């Protein structure tokens, strides 16, 4: 079986749609449908249920899909090892959110490279960290914890959320209550913690930004379209907006997620985890 085509099929299963996977991999929907037919013929059983609503795994066939996932993961690891041999250097693949990659990850990588110049680092900006983990595309994940088997979690910092205002509003004081926010137009980032904190019905006007990159929200605030709430680590050293403490406050926990076996086998990963633990993220 062609592992690259199995990877396309696995993505279609995760999305619940052959056409969505086709769009991501620049295939036609009929080509992805043919890939599914070919793989089912090779396996010897129809393990995917198709309908107008999309695709699902047939009952009792979950282990088949899990084994296909393992095949994709093994190929990705093999390709990485081959790359290391060709380049004669260690490779570390790091997945993180777009908002964290721009500021905090840049600082971490700069310091780590100075200490370990022999490690080649690839940064993967992931909208869905869990999907990236299941695909085996990264060695370590920098962000919020997610549920998965056989993983280690290293907690690094509590990242508090703050109110973000355009400078022209000239907010007085170092903090603002949640009640005071409702009198302003609101720009809502795609973040479940923010959705739980606010009462959307109380805002007169709201703009929803369906993106994992908070820079779009920051720019809209800067241009005076409204206020927002964002994690402080996503804001970095942003000077074009005012950042105000929330009352009551809330936060998210940022850390590293990696596989048990990778931590045992890869010295570059172990050194990276130890370095980030002593980096002092909360000071930023």
């Amino acid at each position: 079986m062609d592992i690259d085509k199995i990877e396309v099929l696995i993505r279609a299963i995760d999305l619940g749609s052959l056409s969505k996977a086709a769009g991501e991999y620049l295939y036609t929907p009929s080509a992805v449908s043919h890939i599914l037919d070919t793989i089912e013929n090779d396996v010897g059983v129809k393990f995917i249920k198709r309908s107008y609503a999309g695709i699902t795994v047939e009952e009792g066939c979950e282990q088949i899909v899990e084994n296909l996932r393992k095949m994709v993961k093994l190929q990705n690891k093999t390709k990485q090892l081959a790359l290391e041999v060709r380049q004669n250097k260690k490779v570390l693949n790091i997945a993180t959110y777009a908002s964290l990659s721009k500021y905090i990850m840049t600082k971490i990588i700069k310091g780590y490279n100075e200490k370990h110049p022999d490690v080649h680092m690839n940064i993967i900006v992931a909208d869905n960290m869990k999907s990236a983990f299941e695909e085996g595309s990264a060695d370590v994940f920098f962000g919020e914890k997610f549920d998965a088997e056989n993983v280690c979690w290293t907690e690094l910092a509590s990242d508090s959320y703050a109110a973000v205002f355009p400078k022209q509003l000239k907010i007085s004081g170092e903090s603002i209550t949640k009640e005071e926010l409702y009198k302003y137009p609101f720009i809502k980032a795609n973040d479940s913690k923010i959705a739980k904190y606010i009462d959307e019905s109380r805002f007169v006007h709201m703009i929803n930004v369906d993106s994992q990159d908070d820079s779009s929200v920051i720019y809209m605030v800067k241009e005076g379209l409204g206020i927002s709430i964002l994690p402080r680590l996503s804001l970095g050293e942003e000077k074009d907006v005012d950042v105000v403490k929330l009352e009551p406050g809330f936060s998210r926990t940022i850390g590293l997620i990696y596989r048990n076996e990778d931590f045992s086998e890869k010295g570059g990963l172990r050194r990276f985890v130890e370095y980030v633990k002593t980096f002092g993220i909360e000071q930023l």
Side-chain angles (χ1 to χ4, degrees), residues 254-273:
I254 297 296
L256 297 174
I257 298 176
Y258 42 92
R259 298 172 184 83
N260 292 322
E261 63 269 25
D262 286 349
F263 190 75
S264 301
E265 297 171 3
K266 298 181 179 181
L269 173 59
R270 290 196 301 273
R271 290 197 297 270
F272 180 77
V273 172

Side-chain angles (χ1 to χ4, degrees), residues 112-153:
Y112 185 77
N113 276 343
E114 290 174 355
K115 290 180 175 292
H116 304 286
D118 61 319
V119 179
H120 178 72
M121 306 181 80
N122 297 323
I123 306 303
I124 302 165
V125 176
D127 288 341
N128 188 316
M129 300 276 273
K130 187 173 183 180
S131 293
F133 175 84
E134 291 172 346
E135 292 166 7
S137 58
D139 303 304
V140 60
F141 301 79
F142 180 66
E144 294 183 86
K145 189 177 183 179
F146 54 79
D147 293 327
E149 294 182 355
N150 300 317
V151 298
C152 296
W153 162 254

Side-chain angles (χ1 to χ4, degrees), residues 7-29 32 125 127-128 131-132 135:
E7 184 175 2
V8 176
L9 175 58
I10 291 299
R11 185 59 179 154
I13 293 170
D14 291 339
L15 293 171
S17 168
L18 296 176
S19 60
K20 287 182 180 179
E24 288 192 6
Y25 284 89
L26 302 180
Y27 282 102
T28 63
V32 178
V125 176
D127 288 341
N128 188 316
S131 293
E135 292 166 7

Side-chain angles (χ1 to χ4, degrees), residues 11-222:
R11 185 59 179 154
I13 293 170
D14 291 339
L15 293 171
S17 168
L18 296 176
S19 60
K20 287 182 180 179
E24 288 192 6
Y25 284 89
L26 302 180
Y27 282 102
T28 63
S30 60
V32 178
S33 180
H34 178 68
I35 287 173
L36 171 56
D37 291 338
T38 300
I39 294 173
E40 286 186 324
N41 287 336
D42 288 342
V43 171
V45 66
K46 298 290 184 181
F47 59 88
I48 296 297
K49 182 186 297 183
R50 311 187 202 195
S51 69
Y52 288 112
I55 63 170
T56 55
V57 179
E58 291 278 8
E59 185 177 352
C61 295
E62 293 81 7
Q63 191 58 50
I64 292 175
V65 174
E66 184 58 31
N67 287 342
L68 292 175
R69 287 187 191 277
K70 291 177 180 178
M71 292 171 67
V72 173
K73 178 180 175 182
L74 183 59
Q75 173 170 273
N76 289 337
K77 280 193 171 184
T78 303
K79 286 181 176 179
Q80 179 175 313
L81 289 171
L83 178 62
E84 292 178 15
V85 171
R86 289 198 303 271
Q87 296 182 338
N88 192 28
K89 59 191 313 185
K90 303 175 181 67
V91 178
L92 185 62
N93 298 306
I94 305 168
T96 189
Y97 309 131
S99 55
L100 292 177
S101 68
K102 290 181 179 179
Y103 172 58
I104 183 67
M105 185 52 66
T106 300
K107 290 183 176 291
I108 290 173
I109 290 172
K110 182 178 180 181
Y112 185 77
N113 276 343
E114 290 174 355
K115 290 180 175 292
H116 304 286
D118 61 319
V119 179
H120 178 72
M121 306 181 80
N122 297 323
I123 306 303
I124 302 165
V125 176
D127 288 341
N128 188 316
M129 300 276 273
K130 187 173 183 180
S131 293
F133 175 84
E134 291 172 346
E135 292 166 7
S137 58
D139 303 304
V140 60
F141 301 79
F142 180 66
E144 294 183 86
K145 189 177 183 179
F146 54 79
D147 293 327
E149 294 182 355
N150 300 317
V151 298
C152 296
W153 162 254
T154 297
E155 185 174 318
L156 298 172
S158 177
D159 184 17
S160 61
Y161 285 72
V164 188
F165 284 83
K167 284 191 171 294
Q168 55 265 40
L169 281 180
K170 300 187 185 302
I171 300 299
S172 60
E174 296 182 354
S175 65
I176 189 168
T177 67
K178 180 167 65 172
E179 288 297 315
E180 291 178 279
L181 298 179
Y182 294 122
K183 63 184 179 183
Y184 299 100
F186 192 75
I187 302 165
K188 180 175 169 288
N190 184 13
D191 188 321
S192 60
K193 285 185 172 60
I194 296 172
K196 291 177 181 178
Y197 182 78
I198 60 174
D199 181 352
E200 295 186 19
S201 66
R202 296 186 61 183
F203 289 104
V204 175
H205 183 67
M206 176 179 286
I207 300 173
N208 285 289
V209 180
D210 188 10
S211 171
Q212 298 297 323
D213 187 350
D214 293 335
S215 60
S216 298
V217 175
I218 295 171
Y219 186 79
M220 290 181 184
V221 173
K222 172 190 162 186

